[in-house]
Amino acid sequence: MSHEIVTASELAKPVGYAHAVVAGPGRIVHLGGQTALGPDGTIRGETLVEQFDVAAGNVLAALRAAGGAPEHIVQMLMFVTDVAEYKASLRELGEVWRRHFGRRYPAMALLGVTALLDEQARVELVATAVLP
């Protein structure tokens, strides 16, 4: 059984996220926040798009280590230090998203924050997955 994407008819049509996801039965995997941290412990990328690309890869690496795949993600929280840069980069971010996660969008939220733990980090991704 796969996860069911739910769209509420009384809400605006979701673009790039789902209103709700009904998770199929399975094991819940809570993925820790992932930034653009490279294996050497330094942040990779200067722009939000470059860092999002690395952070998305890090999310998938952690998910694969737990036995999962992109289609198992049911929720993702995105923390960014510059919401205006995020909005201005939507086209490029969409391309990066599709390269890592395909055209399936989980329940998502974008949260603007003043800073992340690593001062050079511009984005942090926190995800929840349900593995069959």
Side-chain angles (χ1 to χ4, degrees), residues 40-65:
D40 62 355
T42 63
I43 294 294
R44 304 260 171 111
E46 297 296 321
T47 68
L48 179 66
V49 173
E50 291 169 346
Q51 289 195 16
F52 185 87
D53 192 16
V54 176
N58 290 347
V59 166
L60 289 179
L63 180 56
R64 281 192 296 272

Side-chain angles (χ1 to χ4, degrees), residues 12 18 28 35 42 46 58 68-69 97 114 118:
I28 298 173
T35 62
T42 63
E46 297 296 321
N58 290 347
W97 177 274
T114 57
D118 190 311

Side-chain angles (χ1 to χ4, degrees), residues 32-36 55 77-80 116-117 121-126:
Q34 296 295 323
T35 62
L77 304 176
M78 298 184 295
F79 298 86
V80 297
L116 296 166
L117 183 61
R122 304 176 68 75
V123 60
E124 184 164 349
L125 305 177
V126 178

